[in-house]
PDB file of all heavy atoms in Angstrom:
ATOM      1  N   PRO A  32      83.348 104.839 116.832  1.00 61.00           N
ATOM      2  CA  PRO A  32      82.115 104.136 116.460  1.00 61.00           C
ATOM      3  C   PRO A  32      81.036 104.281 117.529  1.00 61.00           C
ATOM      4  O   PRO A  32      79.885 103.972 117.302  1.00 61.00           O
ATOM      5  CB  PRO A  32      82.565 102.688 116.307  1.00 61.00           C
ATOM      6  CG  PRO A  32      83.894 102.599 116.960  1.00 61.00           C
ATOM      7  CD  PRO A  32      84.492 103.969 116.931  1.00 61.00           C
ATOM      8  N   ILE A  50     101.764  99.684 103.361  1.00 98.00           N
ATOM      9  CA  ILE A  50     102.835  99.093 102.556  1.00 98.00           C
ATOM     10  C   ILE A  50     102.400  97.659 102.275  1.00 98.00           C
ATOM     11  O   ILE A  50     102.394  96.821 103.170  1.00 98.00           O
ATOM     12  CB  ILE A  50     104.186  99.161 103.294  1.00 98.00           C
ATOM     13  CG1 ILE A  50     104.545 100.640 103.499  1.00 98.00           C
ATOM     14  CG2 ILE A  50     105.266  98.408 102.509  1.00 98.00           C
ATOM     15  CD1 ILE A  50     105.894 100.893 104.123  1.00 98.00           C
ATOM     16  N   LEU A  77      96.244  96.067  93.318  1.00 98.00           N
ATOM     17  CA  LEU A  77      96.493  96.763  94.586  1.00 98.00           C
ATOM     18  C   LEU A  77      96.650  98.266  94.357  1.00 98.00           C
ATOM     19  O   LEU A  77      96.235  99.081  95.172  1.00 98.00           O
ATOM     20  CB  LEU A  77      97.743  96.197  95.261  1.00 98.00           C
ATOM     21  CG  LEU A  77      97.559  94.818  95.893  1.00 98.00           C
ATOM     22  CD1 LEU A  77      98.909  94.212  96.258  1.00 98.00           C
ATOM     23  CD2 LEU A  77      96.667  94.909  97.135  1.00 98.00           C
ATOM     24  N   ILE A 103     107.531  95.643  86.954  1.00 97.00           N
ATOM     25  CA  ILE A 103     106.529  96.366  87.750  1.00 97.00           C
ATOM     26  C   ILE A 103     106.862  97.857  87.868  1.00 97.00           C
ATOM     27  O   ILE A 103     105.962  98.693  87.786  1.00 97.00           O
ATOM     28  CB  ILE A 103     106.343  95.684  89.125  1.00 97.00           C
ATOM     29  CG1 ILE A 103     105.643  94.327  88.899  1.00 97.00           C
ATOM     30  CG2 ILE A 103     105.510  96.545  90.078  1.00 97.00           C
ATOM     31  CD1 ILE A 103     105.554  93.439  90.098  1.00 97.00           C
ATOM     32  N   ILE A 112     107.186 101.881  94.733  1.00 96.00           N
ATOM     33  CA  ILE A 112     107.697 100.509  94.746  1.00 96.00           C
ATOM     34  C   ILE A 112     108.909 100.422  95.672  1.00 96.00           C
ATOM     35  O   ILE A 112     109.874 101.170  95.518  1.00 96.00           O
ATOM     36  CB  ILE A 112     108.135 100.052  93.330  1.00 96.00           C
ATOM     37  CG1 ILE A 112     107.063 100.391  92.283  1.00 96.00           C
ATOM     38  CG2 ILE A 112     108.489  98.578  93.334  1.00 96.00           C
ATOM     39  CD1 ILE A 112     105.772  99.644  92.404  1.00 96.00           C
ATOM     40  N   LEU A 165     115.887  97.255 124.575  1.00 90.00           N
ATOM     41  CA  LEU A 165     115.212  98.521 124.262  1.00 90.00           C
ATOM     42  C   LEU A 165     116.187  99.693 124.132  1.00 90.00           C
ATOM     43  O   LEU A 165     116.090 100.498 123.204  1.00 90.00           O
ATOM     44  CB  LEU A 165     114.154  98.825 125.330  1.00 90.00           C
ATOM     45  CG  LEU A 165     113.342 100.094 125.102  1.00 90.00           C
ATOM     46  CD1 LEU A 165     112.527 100.018 123.817  1.00 90.00           C
ATOM     47  CD2 LEU A 165     112.431 100.374 126.287  1.00 90.00           C
ATOM     48  N   ARG A 182     112.400 106.434 107.123  1.00 95.00           N
ATOM     49  CA  ARG A 182     111.565 105.651 108.046  1.00 95.00           C
ATOM     50  C   ARG A 182     112.415 104.678 108.817  1.00 95.00           C
ATOM     51  O   ARG A 182     113.404 104.158 108.295  1.00 95.00           O
ATOM     52  CB  ARG A 182     110.591 104.764 107.246  1.00 95.00           C
ATOM     53  CG  ARG A 182     109.298 105.379 106.902  1.00 95.00           C
ATOM     54  CD  ARG A 182     108.280 104.350 106.452  1.00 95.00           C
ATOM     55  NE  ARG A 182     108.717 103.411 105.430  1.00 95.00           N
ATOM     56  CZ  ARG A 182     108.917 103.706 104.173  1.00 95.00           C
ATOM     57  NH1 ARG A 182     108.739 104.921 103.730  1.00 95.00           N
ATOM     58  NH2 ARG A 182     109.314 102.784 103.320  1.00 95.00           N
ATOM     59  N   ARG A 267      85.039 107.845 106.862  1.00 96.00           N
ATOM     60  CA  ARG A 267      85.177 108.826 105.777  1.00 96.00           C
ATOM     61  C   ARG A 267      86.584 108.787 105.189  1.00 96.00           C
ATOM     62  O   ARG A 267      86.774 108.750 103.986  1.00 96.00           O
ATOM     63  CB  ARG A 267      84.865 110.228 106.305  1.00 96.00           C
ATOM     64  CG  ARG A 267      84.139 111.072 105.294  1.00 96.00           C
ATOM     65  CD  ARG A 267      83.679 112.398 105.896  1.00 96.00           C
ATOM     66  NE  ARG A 267      83.223 112.258 107.278  1.00 96.00           N
ATOM     67  CZ  ARG A 267      83.492 113.144 108.240  1.00 96.00           C
ATOM     68  NH1 ARG A 267      84.235 114.203 108.001  1.00 96.00           N
ATOM     69  NH2 ARG A 267      83.023 112.969 109.470  1.00 96.00           N
ATOM     70  N   GLY A 292      91.170  78.456 100.027  1.00 94.00           N
ATOM     71  CA  GLY A 292      89.859  79.097 100.019  1.00 94.00           C
ATOM     72  C   GLY A 292      89.935  80.379 100.829  1.00 94.00           C
ATOM     73  O   GLY A 292      90.825  80.541 101.657  1.00 94.00           O
ATOM     74  N   ILE A 316      68.077  93.483 112.712  1.00 82.00           N
ATOM     75  CA  ILE A 316      68.772  93.865 111.481  1.00 82.00           C
ATOM     76  C   ILE A 316      67.801  94.424 110.450  1.00 82.00           C
ATOM     77  O   ILE A 316      68.075  95.403 109.765  1.00 82.00           O
ATOM     78  CB  ILE A 316      69.513  92.625 110.900  1.00 82.00           C
ATOM     79  CG1 ILE A 316      70.828  92.429 111.623  1.00 82.00           C
ATOM     80  CG2 ILE A 316      69.739  92.735 109.409  1.00 82.00           C
ATOM     81  CD1 ILE A 316      71.893  93.434 111.273  1.00 82.00           C
ATOM     82  N   ASN A 347      59.514  87.545 112.211  1.00 91.00           N
ATOM     83  CA  ASN A 347      59.823  88.817 111.549  1.00 91.00           C
ATOM     84  C   ASN A 347      60.686  88.625 110.304  1.00 91.00           C
ATOM     85  O   ASN A 347      60.501  89.289 109.293  1.00 91.00           O
ATOM     86  CB  ASN A 347      60.534  89.759 112.518  1.00 91.00           C
ATOM     87  CG  ASN A 347      59.569  90.350 113.517  1.00 91.00           C
ATOM     88  OD1 ASN A 347      58.818  91.252 113.194  1.00 91.00           O
ATOM     89  ND2 ASN A 347      59.559  89.786 114.721  1.00 91.00           N
ATOM     90  N   VAL A 386      62.315  76.990 101.397  1.00 93.00           N
ATOM     91  CA  VAL A 386      61.517  77.909 102.210  1.00 93.00           C
ATOM     92  C   VAL A 386      60.511  78.641 101.320  1.00 93.00           C
ATOM     93  O   VAL A 386      59.325  78.749 101.648  1.00 93.00           O
ATOM     94  CB  VAL A 386      62.418  78.931 102.946  1.00 93.00           C
ATOM     95  CG1 VAL A 386      61.574  80.004 103.618  1.00 93.00           C
ATOM     96  CG2 VAL A 386      63.291  78.234 103.967  1.00 93.00           C
ATOM     97  N   ARG A 395      48.940  79.517  98.919  1.00 93.00           N
ATOM     98  CA  ARG A 395      47.968  78.981  97.961  1.00 93.00           C
ATOM     99  C   ARG A 395      46.867  78.205  98.703  1.00 93.00           C
ATOM    100  O   ARG A 395      45.695  78.298  98.364  1.00 93.00           O
ATOM    101  CB  ARG A 395      48.685  78.084  96.954  1.00 93.00           C
ATOM    102  CG  ARG A 395      47.864  77.826  95.706  1.00 93.00           C
ATOM    103  CD  ARG A 395      48.639  77.008  94.684  1.00 93.00           C
ATOM    104  NE  ARG A 395      49.902  77.643  94.297  1.00 93.00           N
ATOM    105  CZ  ARG A 395      51.095  77.052  94.348  1.00 93.00           C
ATOM    106  NH1 ARG A 395      51.226  75.829  94.823  1.00 93.00           N
ATOM    107  NH2 ARG A 395      52.168  77.709  93.979  1.00 93.00           N
TER     108      ARG A 395
END
Side-chain angles (χ1 to χ4, degrees):
I50 297 184
L77 286 167
I103 290 172
I112 313 293
L165 182 63
R182 271 195 310 288
R267 217 173 322 140
I316 279 287
N347 285 283
V386 172
R395 197 176 303 126

